[in-house]
Amino acid sequence: MSGKRANGEERRSASAATNLMAGGAAGMMEALVCHPLDTIKVRMQLSRRAKAPGVKTRGFIATGALIVKKETPLGLYKGLGAVVTGIVPKMAIRFTSFEAYKKLMANEETGAVSGRATFMAGLAAGITEAVMVVTPMEVIKIRLQAQHHSMADPLDIPKYRNAAHALYTVVKEEGIGALYRGISLTALRQGTRPSFLRSLETASRDCSNQAVNFTAYTEFKELLQKWQPEYANQPIPSYQTTLIGLVSGAMGPLSNAPIDTIKTRLQKTPAQAGETAMSRITAIARDMFKQEGFHAFYKGITPRIMRVAPGQAVTFTVYEYLKEKLERYHDGMPLVGGKYEE
């Protein structure tokens, strides 16, 4: 993401256009490959089976099999439209803002970026993407994923027919503020206005995800470049990018699983009149612990890791590959062969 090219020329930060194309393509690939696991995760997080005495919780394989059996395999892709709609701006904002924040936090004299600065840049990038894109997208996605209708039965008409209809219905029935349900805890932590305190936090989950992901990824990448001097000033091989993306991607879900579970339940249902944000958060957490036990906060952790870790591996691999190609093309460097192209 920074450094020098093989010919000694200083590498520039990726442009907004490069981030839009490379980040958007990477995010699209991630969504298509990993969305079924996200649907299974959401269903597991919303499950209340533990409330019934003597009823065992359903694992991720059984949950996926039940969705396929009752709702057809297409049921695993519920909410994909919302994800696809938001994925290009989400990934473009993620990588562009990360590069911008990292540049702002770099040492003025040397241009070096410390591990702490990388973490803070990732944190800020996560907040930025959550506020601008992720929260509304997730509200719509979860509403669609939570519907148990069969996509094979034309008479089984759900409340939300697709992403556009869900967006229209949520805004009409609950107001535009409902699209930002899940952003307030981050707003509180950042010291913003109390009027944002509507509920929990997509933003804090995403900013912690990106802070952990970017920090781990950057540290692993620099370590591999140090161990392999031949890659000190050029991209590491794709298989190594995939591997460190996989490892760094698994760290986020492990660090914030309880937050994600509460957030999912919060965004699934409309707010009740007279309820404050903190009262809903407290009630959801209290009821989960009392009625379902501590393990309820980690419901869906297996499919979430299975979805996020490979997703990050796909994202970083595709992003790094396309970014390098686009930068070479922009600079008049050869994509293949040994001659420059103008």
Side-chain angles (χ1 to χ4, degrees), residues 73-98:
L74 290 176
L76 294 171
Y77 287 90
K78 286 179 177 178
L80 181 61
V83 176
V84 169
T85 301
I87 203 69
V88 172
K90 170 188 170 181
M91 300 307 291
I93 289 169
R94 173 182 300 180
F95 287 104
T96 302
S97 61
F98 175 66

mmCIF file of all heavy atoms in Angstrom, residues 73-98:
data_model
loop_
_atom_site.group_PDB
_atom_site.id
_atom_site.type_symbol
_atom_site.label_atom_id
_atom_site.label_comp_id
_atom_site.label_asym_id
_atom_site.label_seq_id
_atom_site.Cartn_x
_atom_site.Cartn_y
_atom_site.Cartn_z
ATOM 1 N N PRO A 73 -32.296 -23.533 -2.013
ATOM 2 C CA PRO A 73 -30.934 -22.972 -1.904
ATOM 3 C C PRO A 73 -30.874 -21.461 -2.073
ATOM 4 O O PRO A 73 -29.975 -20.804 -1.535
ATOM 5 C CB PRO A 73 -30.185 -23.693 -3.033
ATOM 6 C CG PRO A 73 -30.895 -24.992 -3.173
ATOM 7 C CD PRO A 73 -32.342 -24.677 -2.943
ATOM 8 N N LEU A 74 -31.840 -20.892 -2.815
ATOM 9 C CA LEU A 74 -31.848 -19.435 -2.998
ATOM 10 C C LEU A 74 -32.074 -18.709 -1.683
ATOM 11 O O LEU A 74 -31.734 -17.529 -1.557
ATOM 12 C CB LEU A 74 -32.933 -19.037 -4.004
ATOM 13 C CG LEU A 74 -32.686 -19.434 -5.467
ATOM 14 C CD1 LEU A 74 -33.881 -19.067 -6.324
ATOM 15 C CD2 LEU A 74 -31.422 -18.756 -5.992
ATOM 16 N N GLY A 75 -32.639 -19.418 -0.694
ATOM 17 C CA GLY A 75 -32.853 -18.803 0.611
ATOM 18 C C GLY A 75 -31.558 -18.376 1.268
ATOM 19 O O GLY A 75 -31.545 -17.457 2.093
ATOM 20 N N LEU A 76 -30.465 -19.040 0.920
ATOM 21 C CA LEU A 76 -29.155 -18.679 1.477
ATOM 22 C C LEU A 76 -28.662 -17.338 0.948
ATOM 23 O O LEU A 76 -27.732 -16.761 1.504
ATOM 24 C CB LEU A 76 -28.132 -19.764 1.139
ATOM 25 C CG LEU A 76 -28.373 -21.139 1.782
ATOM 26 C CD1 LEU A 76 -27.408 -22.163 1.194
ATOM 27 C CD2 LEU A 76 -28.217 -21.062 3.294
ATOM 28 N N TYR A 77 -29.278 -16.866 -0.135
ATOM 29 C CA TYR A 77 -28.850 -15.604 -0.739
ATOM 30 C C TYR A 77 -29.829 -14.464 -0.463
ATOM 31 O O TYR A 77 -29.768 -13.426 -1.113
ATOM 32 C CB TYR A 77 -28.667 -15.789 -2.244
ATOM 33 C CG TYR A 77 -27.423 -16.580 -2.579
ATOM 34 C CD1 TYR A 77 -27.460 -17.960 -2.687
ATOM 35 C CD2 TYR A 77 -26.191 -15.944 -2.744
ATOM 36 C CE1 TYR A 77 -26.313 -18.702 -2.971
ATOM 37 C CE2 TYR A 77 -25.051 -16.672 -3.029
ATOM 38 C CZ TYR A 77 -25.114 -18.044 -3.134
ATOM 39 O OH TYR A 77 -23.971 -18.758 -3.400
ATOM 40 N N LYS A 78 -30.715 -14.650 0.507
ATOM 41 C CA LYS A 78 -31.605 -13.549 0.884
ATOM 42 C C LYS A 78 -30.770 -12.373 1.376
ATOM 43 O O LYS A 78 -29.835 -12.546 2.145
ATOM 44 C CB LYS A 78 -32.566 -14.009 1.981
ATOM 45 C CG LYS A 78 -33.665 -14.937 1.487
ATOM 46 C CD LYS A 78 -34.585 -15.379 2.614
ATOM 47 C CE LYS A 78 -35.724 -16.243 2.080
ATOM 48 N NZ LYS A 78 -36.607 -16.725 3.159
ATOM 49 N N GLY A 79 -31.133 -11.180 0.932
ATOM 50 C CA GLY A 79 -30.402 -9.985 1.336
ATOM 51 C C GLY A 79 -29.191 -9.667 0.481
ATOM 52 O O GLY A 79 -28.532 -8.650 0.696
ATOM 53 N N LEU A 80 -28.901 -10.541 -0.508
ATOM 54 C CA LEU A 80 -27.722 -10.301 -1.344
ATOM 55 C C LEU A 80 -27.844 -9.012 -2.144
ATOM 56 O O LEU A 80 -26.854 -8.315 -2.378
ATOM 57 C CB LEU A 80 -27.497 -11.487 -2.292
ATOM 58 C CG LEU A 80 -26.278 -11.386 -3.219
ATOM 59 C CD1 LEU A 80 -24.992 -11.291 -2.409
ATOM 60 C CD2 LEU A 80 -26.219 -12.583 -4.170
ATOM 61 N N GLY A 81 -29.075 -8.683 -2.553
ATOM 62 C CA GLY A 81 -29.282 -7.459 -3.326
ATOM 63 C C GLY A 81 -28.833 -6.224 -2.573
ATOM 64 O O GLY A 81 -28.222 -5.312 -3.149
ATOM 65 N N ALA A 82 -29.128 -6.175 -1.267
ATOM 66 C CA ALA A 82 -28.706 -5.034 -0.455
ATOM 67 C C ALA A 82 -27.191 -4.967 -0.360
ATOM 68 O O ALA A 82 -26.591 -3.893 -0.409
ATOM 69 C CB ALA A 82 -29.317 -5.138 0.949
ATOM 70 N N VAL A 83 -26.555 -6.144 -0.231
ATOM 71 C CA VAL A 83 -25.099 -6.198 -0.121
ATOM 72 C C VAL A 83 -24.444 -5.747 -1.421
ATOM 73 O O VAL A 83 -23.506 -4.946 -1.415
ATOM 74 C CB VAL A 83 -24.633 -7.625 0.242
ATOM 75 C CG1 VAL A 83 -23.116 -7.707 0.253
ATOM 76 C CG2 VAL A 83 -25.191 -8.029 1.603
ATOM 77 N N VAL A 84 -24.939 -6.268 -2.546
ATOM 78 C CA VAL A 84 -24.361 -5.934 -3.848
ATOM 79 C C VAL A 84 -24.505 -4.438 -4.136
ATOM 80 O O VAL A 84 -23.589 -3.802 -4.666
ATOM 81 C CB VAL A 84 -25.028 -6.772 -4.963
ATOM 82 C CG1 VAL A 84 -24.631 -6.257 -6.344
ATOM 83 C CG2 VAL A 84 -24.636 -8.238 -4.826
ATOM 84 N N THR A 85 -25.659 -3.871 -3.761
ATOM 85 C CA THR A 85 -25.892 -2.443 -3.989
ATOM 86 C C THR A 85 -24.879 -1.583 -3.238
ATOM 87 O O THR A 85 -24.389 -0.575 -3.758
ATOM 88 C CB THR A 85 -27.316 -2.050 -3.548
ATOM 89 O OG1 THR A 85 -28.264 -2.821 -4.292
ATOM 90 C CG2 THR A 85 -27.565 -0.568 -3.790
ATOM 91 N N GLY A 86 -24.551 -1.994 -2.023
ATOM 92 C CA GLY A 86 -23.668 -1.177 -1.210
ATOM 93 C C GLY A 86 -22.205 -1.559 -1.262
ATOM 94 O O GLY A 86 -21.353 -0.834 -0.727
ATOM 95 N N ILE A 87 -21.879 -2.691 -1.918
ATOM 96 C CA ILE A 87 -20.518 -3.216 -1.810
ATOM 97 C C ILE A 87 -19.475 -2.339 -2.498
ATOM 98 O O ILE A 87 -18.369 -2.165 -1.982
ATOM 99 C CB ILE A 87 -20.441 -4.669 -2.353
ATOM 100 C CG1 ILE A 87 -19.235 -5.398 -1.747
ATOM 101 C CG2 ILE A 87 -20.388 -4.706 -3.863
ATOM 102 C CD1 ILE A 87 -19.359 -5.696 -0.296
ATOM 103 N N VAL A 88 -19.802 -1.785 -3.659
ATOM 104 C CA VAL A 88 -18.813 -0.969 -4.374
ATOM 105 C C VAL A 88 -18.470 0.290 -3.592
ATOM 106 O O VAL A 88 -17.293 0.559 -3.317
ATOM 107 C CB VAL A 88 -19.288 -0.638 -5.803
ATOM 108 C CG1 VAL A 88 -18.348 0.368 -6.452
ATOM 109 C CG2 VAL A 88 -19.354 -1.913 -6.647
ATOM 110 N N PRO A 89 -19.481 1.099 -3.180
ATOM 111 C CA PRO A 89 -19.116 2.270 -2.376
ATOM 112 C C PRO A 89 -18.488 1.885 -1.036
ATOM 113 O O PRO A 89 -17.584 2.578 -0.552
ATOM 114 C CB PRO A 89 -20.449 3.002 -2.172
ATOM 115 C CG PRO A 89 -21.501 2.010 -2.482
ATOM 116 C CD PRO A 89 -20.918 1.083 -3.492
ATOM 117 N N LYS A 90 -18.930 0.775 -0.435
ATOM 118 C CA LYS A 90 -18.368 0.353 0.850
ATOM 119 C C LYS A 90 -16.876 0.071 0.739
ATOM 120 O O LYS A 90 -16.070 0.571 1.528
ATOM 121 C CB LYS A 90 -19.096 -0.896 1.343
ATOM 122 C CG LYS A 90 -18.441 -1.578 2.543
ATOM 123 C CD LYS A 90 -19.111 -2.903 2.842
ATOM 124 C CE LYS A 90 -18.326 -3.711 3.866
ATOM 125 N NZ LYS A 90 -18.946 -5.025 4.152
ATOM 126 N N MET A 91 -16.490 -0.743 -0.252
ATOM 127 C CA MET A 91 -15.091 -1.120 -0.376
ATOM 128 C C MET A 91 -14.236 0.053 -0.847
ATOM 129 O O MET A 91 -13.087 0.211 -0.437
ATOM 130 C CB MET A 91 -14.948 -2.304 -1.331
ATOM 131 C CG MET A 91 -15.700 -3.561 -0.885
ATOM 132 S SD MET A 91 -15.311 -4.080 0.802
ATOM 133 C CE MET A 91 -13.641 -4.625 0.602
ATOM 134 N N ALA A 92 -14.808 0.880 -1.719
ATOM 135 C CA ALA A 92 -14.062 2.061 -2.174
ATOM 136 C C ALA A 92 -13.789 2.997 -1.004
ATOM 137 O O ALA A 92 -12.677 3.513 -0.837
ATOM 138 C CB ALA A 92 -14.845 2.782 -3.270
ATOM 139 N N ILE A 93 -14.818 3.218 -0.163
ATOM 140 C CA ILE A 93 -14.658 4.076 1.008
ATOM 141 C C ILE A 93 -13.663 3.455 1.980
ATOM 142 O O ILE A 93 -12.814 4.158 2.550
ATOM 143 C CB ILE A 93 -16.028 4.301 1.693
ATOM 144 C CG1 ILE A 93 -16.900 5.208 0.828
ATOM 145 C CG2 ILE A 93 -15.839 4.912 3.080
ATOM 146 C CD1 ILE A 93 -18.343 5.267 1.278
ATOM 147 N N ARG A 94 -13.738 2.136 2.183
ATOM 148 C CA ARG A 94 -12.845 1.461 3.129
ATOM 149 C C ARG A 94 -11.385 1.692 2.773
ATOM 150 O O ARG A 94 -10.599 2.162 3.591
ATOM 151 C CB ARG A 94 -13.134 -0.035 3.167
ATOM 152 C CG ARG A 94 -12.120 -0.818 4.000
ATOM 153 C CD ARG A 94 -12.399 -2.306 3.985
ATOM 154 N NE ARG A 94 -13.707 -2.612 4.531
ATOM 155 C CZ ARG A 94 -14.188 -3.856 4.618
ATOM 156 N NH1 ARG A 94 -13.469 -4.874 4.171
ATOM 157 N NH2 ARG A 94 -15.377 -4.070 5.139
ATOM 158 N N PHE A 95 -11.014 1.373 1.534
ATOM 159 C CA PHE A 95 -9.604 1.451 1.163
ATOM 160 C C PHE A 95 -9.139 2.884 0.944
ATOM 161 O O PHE A 95 -8.025 3.249 1.299
ATOM 162 C CB PHE A 95 -9.339 0.594 -0.078
ATOM 163 C CG PHE A 95 -9.359 -0.878 0.213
ATOM 164 C CD1 PHE A 95 -10.443 -1.661 -0.152
ATOM 165 C CD2 PHE A 95 -8.300 -1.491 0.860
ATOM 166 C CE1 PHE A 95 -10.470 -3.020 0.128
ATOM 167 C CE2 PHE A 95 -8.312 -2.845 1.144
ATOM 168 C CZ PHE A 95 -9.400 -3.617 0.772
ATOM 169 N N THR A 96 -10.014 3.723 0.352
ATOM 170 C CA THR A 96 -9.639 5.117 0.126
ATOM 171 C C THR A 96 -9.449 5.853 1.448
ATOM 172 O O THR A 96 -8.468 6.581 1.639
ATOM 173 C CB THR A 96 -10.703 5.843 -0.724
ATOM 174 O OG1 THR A 96 -10.852 5.164 -1.975
ATOM 175 C CG2 THR A 96 -10.308 7.291 -0.984
ATOM 176 N N SER A 97 -10.396 5.680 2.374
ATOM 177 C CA SER A 97 -10.299 6.370 3.655
ATOM 178 C C SER A 97 -9.128 5.834 4.475
ATOM 179 O O SER A 97 -8.445 6.603 5.168
ATOM 180 C CB SER A 97 -11.601 6.241 4.449
ATOM 181 O OG SER A 97 -11.902 4.884 4.737
ATOM 182 N N PHE A 98 -8.869 4.528 4.381
ATOM 183 C CA PHE A 98 -7.732 3.955 5.111
ATOM 184 C C PHE A 98 -6.421 4.588 4.639
ATOM 185 O O PHE A 98 -5.576 4.980 5.436
ATOM 186 C CB PHE A 98 -7.693 2.443 4.925
ATOM 187 C CG PHE A 98 -6.483 1.782 5.556
ATOM 188 C CD1 PHE A 98 -6.310 1.775 6.932
ATOM 189 C CD2 PHE A 98 -5.514 1.182 4.761
ATOM 190 C CE1 PHE A 98 -5.190 1.179 7.509
ATOM 191 C CE2 PHE A 98 -4.400 0.579 5.327
ATOM 192 C CZ PHE A 98 -4.241 0.574 6.702
#
